Amino acid sequence: MDIFKKALIKSPWVYHVGTSGCNNCDIEILDCLTPRFDIERFGIKLVGSPRHADILLVSGPVASHCKEPLEQVYRETPKPCVVACVGVCACSMGIFKDAYSVSGPPDKVIRAIDPNAIIVYIPGCPPRPEAIIMGIVKALQSLNGVAK
Amino acid sequence: MSTVIPIGPFHPLQDEPANFLLTVEGEKVVDIEANMGYIHKGHELLGQSKTYDQVVIQTERICGICSVTHTVCFCHAVENLLGIEIPKRTAYIRTILGELERCHSHLLWAGLAGHFIGYNTVFMWAWKYREPVLDILEALTGNRRTSSILKPGGVRRDLDEKHFPKLLEIMSTLRGQTKMLLEAVIDDPVIHSRTKNVGVLTYEDAVDWCVVGPTARASGVDTDVRRDEPYGAYDEVDWEVIVWKDGDVFAKVAVRLLEIIESTKIVEQCVKQFPKGPILNTIKQIPVGEGIGRYEAPRGEDIHYVRSNGTNMPERWKVRAPSNVNVPSFHASCIGESISDVTITLASCDPCYSCTERMAVVVDPGSGKIIYTGNDLVRMGQEKTKAIARELGRPPDLPLKLEF
């Protein structure tokens, strides 16, 4: 395994990119930090800058206005990194499929600038904090070669 | 010499993207400009291509925190258009759900406010107290927040009364916990010096900027839709409108925490008087006309407007969310503050951009600006608290009192 991936799966730091979500997934992500779920015990930490991050948690569809900032955040993140699409809007646009000012789900936006990006999907409206934690754990396991 | 500091659009200050341009002279903020539109998804136009029952599902996704708010407000607008009354049991169900939502929203805000001034203990504790509220919402409706239980004319599903003893137990525990948080805020000299006389919104400014909800009530404006135009069960239960006169961040914290206590009282009375009966007035056809719905959201007055042309889809649907009028009041409250106090002042009206952004704003990116990230701002805010704590000879992050 290459050394970067090996480093990535130990104590992953996450950066939360709330692209255009309705707040619901964003709040559940914050909920993961609080005493009941407390993901910091696994070494997962929410950081304030994409330059420190190993995992990008993207919630919500990407509004046209938000597309450029998201691309910039992805470029700033050190590679390899994992992009986790949290919530049904980020996976498949959900009810915003036909909205005029939405430029697509985040995976499409990120694939357009990096076809080899590692993207995982956590569906739910909103996904429960347990689901978010499980999604991140599965992403790390797949990097580790434990599960595909 | 003045410098422009851009904050955002992605910053850890809030979980939603928004861009603020602060013009500063030294440490003092002389101007502020909010650029928004990062979350504009075109809700209103999208809603006009859906049937009334489908719009209800969409209104829940306007804002994840106030999912009951927008849905009930839309239902009020449609019921106003039709001129129908809802069954009494439905009114009580809506009131219970609305007040539970107010509890969790205010606790969420109190936690974030604690985080912004560097009191992570408050953040962790307030969010811990919030979890049982979400648990009981899940037991009553089936999901932690977006429950899809409401529809025009009534509710889709009835509440199961076997959960009521648990609900009462959670409400009385929550009241004790909130009182404990309130005492911790009122007694603490460090929180006093970080929040008293900070970000003051005077009565005149509050009236001029037309602010609503707790932001207005903390500035002495006595306004509350629940009392002024009662809906649901609010005219049948005993509760008080909390009004403070100071207008600073401290008053806003206190008003919100006291409102949680009032909410727990409302829920308890609703459970005691919970009536029997039908839960839905079936709507057969929507006539031509227009309707307006008002609702007191956790952040203030929410207004929905619906115009019908007789088909099964609204011809026009308009949402005026509370943050829409609260956010511009930053002009009155932030200017003249030091930059480390801006964080808490920006957060003090509990801005919710996903509610607000009904219209895209054109942003001029500009160039050659010094970039402070929002992270730097949070750090500066937290360092100021530590400095004050050192001056007062207190440990920086105080453990809360355990007994209550």
Side-chain angles (χ1 to χ4, degrees), chain A residues 15 17-20 22-24 26-28 31 34-36 63 65 69 73 95-96 99-101 125 128, chain B residues 10 15-17 37-41 43 46 58 61 63-64 124 127 130-131 135 138 143-146 352 354:
Chain A
Y15 179 72
V17 196
T19 45
S20 310
C22 71
N23 241 337
N24 230 340
D26 315 68
I27 297 298
E28 294 290 31
D31 236 3
T34 52
R36 182 176 289 184
H65 206 66
V73 163
I95 57 166
F96 300 108
Y100 71 93
S101 66
C125 188
R128 303 171 59 86
Chain B
F10 292 124
D15 48 18
E16 296 169 279
Y38 292 94
I39 319 188
H40 177 71
K41 284 169 294 202
H43 260 291
L46 199 58
Q58 200 195 323
R61 271 81 183 168
C63 173
M124 292 295 169
W127 282 59
R130 181 175 162 266
E131 284 297 328
D135 285 348
E138 187 177 5
N143 202 356
R144 282 157 68 92
R145 276 188 307 277
T146 45
C352 176
S354 55

Side-chain angles (χ1 to χ4, degrees), chain B residues 19-23 31-35 331:
Chain B
N19 174 261
F20 291 100
L21 298 177
L22 300 179
T23 311
D31 199 8
I32 180 165
E33 190 187 330
N35 291 319
H331 264 283

Side-chain angles (χ1 to χ4, degrees), chain B residues 54-125:
Chain B
Q54 289 171 332
V55 174
V56 167
I57 307 299
Q58 200 195 323
T59 48
E60 292 199 318
R61 271 81 183 168
I62 289 179
C63 173
I65 306 174
C66 343
S67 60
V68 177
T69 295
H70 284 289
T71 319
V72 175
C73 196
F74 175 75
C75 295
H76 282 174
V78 176
E79 285 149 13
N80 180 252
L81 193 162
L82 288 155
I84 57 164
E85 290 285 316
I86 52 168
K88 209 164 178 196
R89 192 175 171 94
T90 307
Y92 274 77
I93 293 174
R94 286 182 183 180
T95 310
I96 291 174
L97 295 181
E99 290 309 311
L100 286 175
E101 183 180 84
R102 198 179 311 277
C103 291
H104 96 71
S105 175
H106 283 345
L107 279 173
L108 183 152
W109 179 83
L112 287 181
H115 171 65
F116 294 145
I117 61 168
Y119 264 39
N120 278 325
T121 318
V122 178
F123 173 50
M124 292 295 169
W125 283 62

Side-chain angles (χ1 to χ4, degrees), chain B residues 194-302:
Chain B
R194 276 316 304 280
T195 56
K196 279 226 163 162
N197 297 320
V198 169
V200 177
L201 188 70
T202 58
Y203 179 84
E204 288 74 26
D205 279 337
V207 172
D208 283 352
W209 289 95
C210 305
V211 294
V212 290
T215 316
R217 290 197 284 275
S219 297
V221 184
D222 190 3
T223 164
D224 196 319
V225 183
R226 291 176 289 170
R227 182 203 54 200
D228 302 338
E229 195 183 296
Y231 55 88
Y234 289 108
D235 47 351
E236 292 168 28
V237 292
D238 185 29
W239 62 286
E240 279 172 35
V241 179
I242 311 287
V243 181
W244 278 44
K245 294 215 160 31
D246 310 337
D248 51 8
V249 178
F250 185 80
K252 286 170 191 163
V253 179
V255 165
R256 287 207 171 87
L257 289 177
L258 288 167
E259 275 186 9
I260 297 175
I261 297 176
E262 291 302 315
S263 293
T264 57
K265 284 183 194 159
I266 295 173
V267 172
E268 281 174 357
Q269 292 174 55
C270 283
V271 168
K272 279 199 192 103
Q273 306 169 10
F274 202 64
K276 295 250 179 290
I279 54 164
L280 184 63
N281 271 349
T282 315
I283 296 167
K284 295 217 169 61
Q285 199 180 358
I286 309 256
V288 180
E290 53 185 9
I292 285 184
R294 296 172 77 194
Y295 185 89
E296 184 72 20
R299 292 164 178 73
E301 184 188 354
D302 185 19

Side-chain angles (χ1 to χ4, degrees), chain B residues 320-347:
Chain B
R320 206 293 317 262
S323 299
N324 211 355
V325 284
N326 284 344
V327 169
S329 76
F330 292 155
H331 264 283
S333 57
C334 279
I335 291 172
E337 296 295 334
S338 85
I339 189 160
S340 49
D341 286 335
V342 165
T343 337
I344 185 69
T345 314
L346 287 182

